[in-house]
Amino acid sequence: MKTFLLYVRPSRKEMSLFRNFAALLLAMVLSSCSPRTTETISILGSNTFGEELAPRLTAEYKKDHPGIDFRLEFKGTSYGFGGLMVDRCDIAAASREATTNERGLARDRSIEFNQYIIGSYSIAVVVNANNTVTNLSPEQVRDIFTGAIHNWKDVGGADSPIHVYARDPISGTHLGFQELAMEKKPYVEGFKTFTNYTSIVQSVVQDPNGIGYASLQLSAKPGMKSLSIGGAPATAETVQKGTYPYARVLRLYTNKAAEKPAAREFIDFVQSTSGQKILDEMGFVSHP
């Protein structure tokens, strides 16, 4: 039995369609094999910037810049300056200005810093709304949180024991308040710890003898009030003017001669209206 094969020559139109399809298929294959183009921005430094603010800012930035990756490491402001001076990062996050010694070390390496102010970190001292105390001196705040003062009557309030509420020891805020308000002295024994400001606020609202700290935004919640410190109320205005003591200006630094365009674009975003809105939402004070 013989087998016959019938060959039908395709039309020009069919050949054209086939060639177009083959070209499209080849382009798709080559595209899927091409490596993804990414650029990494490395940020080292301040825990104050890095604990909550940096993850939120970088996540929002990546939504419109998918080709950017971030390497984040936060072990303190000094760590960031050190990394910047040995080319281990593109941006150093700082909760203070560079010291004279740090600037001297940079000059020895022929490095000049670019400094960008992005906002302020601030902490309001909060008490129950029914507490008659409205103002404390920095020394009184220190003594309350370190345990030298145990009773409200010693600071002009009722004859009642003081209950201290604070962030947990692994929190950057725990250390930040210790530096800002307590002269780095240990917290009072027996103080209650919480993982966030909201829990502190809820506890103070329920405790007429409670005292704690929170963001400026949360300090305005019903059932509580923020205290003036040395006569300065805890407001965005006093923070921006530098008259409220429990605040730190946040800065981002780069190496002027080696500043990457991608790093500068991210800093521009942080300083933009969108970036400053995120600072406000996160409980920081935006830069005026």
Side-chain angles (χ1 to χ4, degrees):
M1 180 178 180
K2 296 183 178 180
T3 302
F4 297 92
L5 297 176
L6 180 64
Y7 173 73
V8 179
R9 182 182 179 86
S11 67
R12 291 183 178 180
K13 183 177 181 181
E14 290 172 330
M15 287 296 293
S16 177
L17 289 173
F18 176 77
R19 284 195 295 268
N20 290 341
F21 175 76
L24 177 61
L25 183 62
L26 178 62
M28 292 174 63
V29 171
L30 292 175
S31 175
S32 65
C33 295
S34 299
R36 180 188 172 205
T37 302
T38 61
E39 185 168 7
T40 300
I41 300 173
S42 176
I43 308 176
L44 307 183
S46 166
N47 294 301
T48 303
F49 175 79
E51 183 180 18
E52 296 176 347
L53 184 56
R56 173 72 185 280
L57 286 170
T58 54
E60 289 296 324
Y61 188 73
K62 281 176 66 67
K63 290 179 180 179
D64 294 324
H65 301 80
I68 296 294
D69 285 334
F70 288 90
R71 182 173 71 87
L72 308 176
E73 193 175 357
F74 301 104
K75 298 181 180 180
T77 294
S78 298
Y79 183 72
F81 282 125
L84 193 60
M85 284 187 274
V86 296
D87 199 29
R88 283 201 62 239
C89 66
D90 304 305
I91 299 173
S95 56
R96 57 168 173 77
E97 286 190 90
T99 64
T100 301
N101 183 52
E102 286 164 340
R103 291 188 181 278
L105 289 172
R107 282 194 299 270
D108 291 342
R109 291 165 173 76
S110 299
I111 293 172
E112 183 179 353
F113 293 140
N114 274 338
Q115 172 186 271
Y116 303 96
I117 295 176
I118 63 168
S120 297
Y121 161 78
S122 58
I123 304 177
V125 177
V126 295
V127 296
N128 188 279
N130 294 321
N131 196 316
T132 58
V133 175
T134 59
N135 179 77
L136 291 174
S137 69
E139 294 76 19
Q140 288 173 325
V141 174
R142 175 200 63 203
D143 290 347
I144 287 173
F145 280 87
T146 59
I149 294 177
H150 297 277
N151 196 296
W152 282 111
K153 69 178 181 180
D154 296 326
V155 292
D159 185 4
S160 302
I162 297 175
H163 302 153
V164 174
Y165 301 99
R167 290 290 298 271
D168 54 295
I170 64 172
S171 163
T173 304
H174 177 99
L175 299 174
F177 188 78
Q178 201 171 27
E179 293 176 358
L180 285 170
M182 299 168 57
E183 299 176 0
K184 298 185 179 181
K185 295 181 179 180
Y187 280 80
V188 59
E189 290 186 8
F191 74 102
K192 296 182 179 179
T193 62
F194 301 88
T195 58
N196 54 66
Y197 281 150
T198 300
S199 297
I200 293 177
V201 168
Q202 291 171 346
S203 296
V204 171
V205 168
Q206 297 170 5
D207 184 358
N209 297 319
I211 186 171
Y213 48 73
S215 66
L216 299 191
Q217 288 83 347
L218 285 175
S219 69
K221 293 291 184 180
M224 65 180 309
K225 64 182 180 184
S226 62
L227 299 179
S228 294
I229 307 300
T235 65
E237 291 73 21
T238 57
V239 170
Q240 290 169 348
K241 290 178 181 177
T243 57
Y244 183 72
Y246 302 149
R248 286 174 168 168
V249 176
L250 299 179
R251 299 172 172 87
L252 298 179
Y253 287 85
T254 63
N255 178 344
K256 187 173 183 178
E259 184 179 77
K260 288 169 56 173
R264 178 58 190 271
E265 289 171 10
F266 172 69
I267 294 171
D268 288 343
F269 162 74
V270 177
Q271 291 182 317
S272 72
T273 301
S274 298
Q276 293 295 290
K277 183 180 178 181
I278 292 173
L279 264 78
D280 286 332
E281 291 174 354
M282 297 290 291
F284 293 80
V285 177
S286 56
H287 183 53

